[in-house]
Amino acid sequence: MTVQISAGQGPAECQLAVAKLFAALKKEYGDMEIVSETKGSERGCLDSVRFRTEHDLSGLEGTVLWICQSPFRKNHKRKNWYVDVSVIPEREEIPSEKEYRIEKFHSGGKGGQNVNKVETGVRIIHIPTGLTAQSTQERSQFQNRQRAMEMLQEKLYALRQEQEKKQLSAAWSEHYRIVRGNPVRTYAGEDFVLQR
């Protein structure tokens, strides 16, 4: 599962809350692997952190509240700092090995006497995605198979790139969506103690 903790457009206090929440979750669950992080404006702060975990943290999705006097602005009246926790949709894994169906057929066009006698045309279908590629340009079935496989690999690469872009886009749209009020968790004090 990929999770993102974000300060959105919040001040340095929210960025500090992101860093503290990530540290608290790491202590609580242990297996956090950072995918990306954006440093905050102050030392020790994070504007955003995206990480992977084997635990199901979907119950944490929403707003987390940190109640604390500002450690950066001593006379600041505000004490409530909100951060957003979002589950980022996973990129679909595209299996590549042994997931193909290969069809052979008679290829028309140039090829001399072989044209209607030998199956030299090759179509390869990637079963999980339904993507296909075919080649009839070469005279031998082996060469057509190689060419079709190269074309299919290019299509699969393009699909993976598209899915990566979608995941990044989802992460950015979640970064700016913080709903104040009704927090899923509340922490208090500079020691970041869980209240509920």
Side-chain angles (χ1 to χ4, degrees):
M1 162 175 279
T2 302
V3 179
Q4 176 175 278
I5 307 171
S6 171
Q9 296 178 352
E13 291 83 359
C14 293
Q15 296 172 353
L16 181 59
V18 169
K20 285 180 174 283
L21 179 58
F22 179 67
L25 291 177
K26 199 169 187 178
K27 193 184 287 184
E28 190 175 340
Y29 294 102
D31 72 335
M32 312 293 188
E33 175 196 336
I34 293 177
V35 175
S36 69
E37 67 179 19
T38 307
K39 301 282 185 208
S41 56
E42 298 284 336
R43 194 164 164 258
C45 294
L46 291 172
D47 188 38
S48 161
V49 62
R50 203 164 7 131
F51 59 91
R52 292 193 49 73
T53 178
E54 293 300 315
H55 295 280
D56 181 8
L57 300 186
S58 53
L60 277 177
E61 192 165 23
T63 306
V64 172
L65 169 62
W66 178 37
I67 303 169
C68 184
Q69 203 67 44
S70 170
F72 303 116
R73 300 175 281 178
K74 293 298 175 197
N75 297 325
H76 196 64
K77 291 180 182 174
R78 184 174 160 191
K79 294 189 302 186
N80 294 341
W81 312 103
Y82 293 92
V83 296
D84 179 68
V85 178
S86 300
V87 175
I88 304 299
E90 290 293 324
R91 202 173 56 200
E92 287 180 42
E93 283 303 312
I94 302 171
S96 52
E97 298 300 314
K98 299 176 185 168
E99 298 284 338
Y100 302 107
R101 186 171 74 234
I102 299 171
E103 298 174 352
K104 300 164 197 133
F105 56 91
H106 295 285
S107 56
K110 57 187 181 211
Q113 297 169 349
N114 276 349
V115 167
N116 292 316
K117 294 180 187 166
V118 182
E119 293 181 329
T120 57
V122 175
R123 179 182 301 113
I124 302 177
I125 301 159
H126 185 246
I127 297 165
T129 61
L131 289 174
T132 64
Q134 71 179 33
S135 176
T136 58
Q137 295 173 339
E138 307 298 332
R139 290 185 70 168
S140 85
Q141 189 183 97
F142 177 75
Q143 288 174 319
N144 277 330
R145 182 178 174 162
Q146 278 187 313
R147 184 150 172 67
M149 187 58 86
E150 285 168 13
M151 291 162 60
L152 189 59
Q153 291 303 325
E154 286 172 16
K155 287 181 179 183
L156 286 169
Y157 177 75
L159 184 62
R160 284 188 188 102
Q161 294 293 100
E162 185 183 320
Q163 287 184 345
E164 226 165 84
K165 278 184 191 170
K166 279 183 186 173
Q167 190 181 32
L168 275 175
S169 174
W172 270 109
S173 66
E174 291 296 333
H175 178 69
Y176 291 107
R177 182 193 65 99
I178 292 186
V179 180
R180 284 156 179 77
N182 199 19
V184 290
R185 274 193 182 185
T186 302
Y187 291 85
E190 292 217 22
D191 293 337
F192 210 71
V193 178
L194 180 63
Q195 305 296 296
R196 64 171 184 90

